[in-house]
Amino acid sequence: GDFTKIISAAHLFKGTSLAMRCNILANIVEKIETNAKNHSLESVDVLLAALKEEWKIIHGILLQRMK
């Protein structure tokens, strides 16, 4: 179901984050993956907000490096 999709997407995102050395991002996604494995949506709003904020930081860094 939906938890399976979340687990799969989070796992892929975690691996990509680690490959890019974005450890904070990977840690956030790992927590989302763990919650999904436990069929829990507890604190998902907080985790998604943290994910969004961390992505903004990484996106800014990537844009700077492309200049």
Side-chain angles (χ1 to χ4, degrees):
D2 289 337
F3 283 111
T4 302
K5 291 177 184 177
I6 294 168
I7 293 165
S8 179
H11 188 77
L12 179 62
F13 196 9
K14 180 181 68 176
T16 302
S17 298
L18 288 170
M20 293 174 54
R21 297 184 180 176
C22 299
N23 296 333
I24 295 171
L25 190 64
N27 288 335
I28 296 167
V29 178
E30 182 176 35
K31 289 176 185 175
I32 293 170
E33 180 183 12
T34 299
N35 282 357
K37 285 179 180 178
N38 293 325
H39 291 219
S40 171
L41 296 177
E42 184 177 330
S43 70
V44 72
D45 292 341
V46 173
L47 291 170
L48 289 175
L51 181 71
K52 185 176 180 179
E53 289 303 312
E54 185 62 21
W55 176 249
K56 284 182 187 177
I57 293 168
I58 293 167
H59 185 253
I61 291 168
L62 292 172
L63 287 176
Q64 287 295 322
R65 291 187 179 179
M66 291 176 66
K67 291 183 178 182

